[in-house]
Amino acid sequence: MKYTIESTSNSCVETITLHDGSTYTRTHERTSFGSQCGDEFFADQMLRNGICEEILGKVDDLFDGSRPLEAMKIAELDW
C-alpha cells in the first residue's frame, strides 16, 4: 500500500494505491470554515470494490480521519 498527499495552500489530494494497482483518491478544497471534500471516504470507495474488511478497518482508522487542512497550512510555508 502506498499513501501520498500533495498539498498547496488551497487544496490537498490524498491517494492510496494498493499492491494490485487499485487507486483511491480524495480531493479537499480550502473553505472559509476549514476544508471540504466531495469524495467518499477511502473505506467507502474500497468497500464498493470488495476490499477485505480487515483492510477497510485499518484504512478507516488511519486515513479517513486525516487532517488535510493541516497539510494545506504546511504547504503555505513552502510558497
Side-chain angles (χ1 to χ4, degrees):
M1 177 184 293
K2 178 181 176 183
Y3 172 76
T4 58
I5 186 166
E6 298 177 57
S7 61
T8 68
S9 59
N10 294 316
S11 67
C12 173
V13 179
E14 299 176 283
T15 305
I16 293 178
T17 305
L18 300 182
H19 73 281
D20 67 357
S22 301
T23 301
Y24 306 92
T25 303
R26 298 193 73 219
T27 302
H28 309 265
E29 299 292 329
R30 186 184 284 255
T31 65
S32 59
F33 57 86
S35 70
Q36 183 174 0
C37 180
D39 301 312
E40 291 181 293
F41 288 112
F42 287 124
D44 294 334
Q45 293 178 43
M46 292 176 175
L47 180 64
R48 277 199 326 273
N49 286 347
I51 302 300
C52 76
E53 291 290 326
E54 186 176 3
I55 291 175
L56 291 176
K58 297 290 184 187
V59 165
D60 187 48
D61 289 345
L62 291 173
F63 301 113
D64 283 338
S66 67
R67 297 187 172 100
L69 183 58
E70 282 75 10
M72 288 182 243
K73 289 177 182 176
I74 292 171
E76 285 178 341
L77 301 174
D78 188 37
W79 290 94

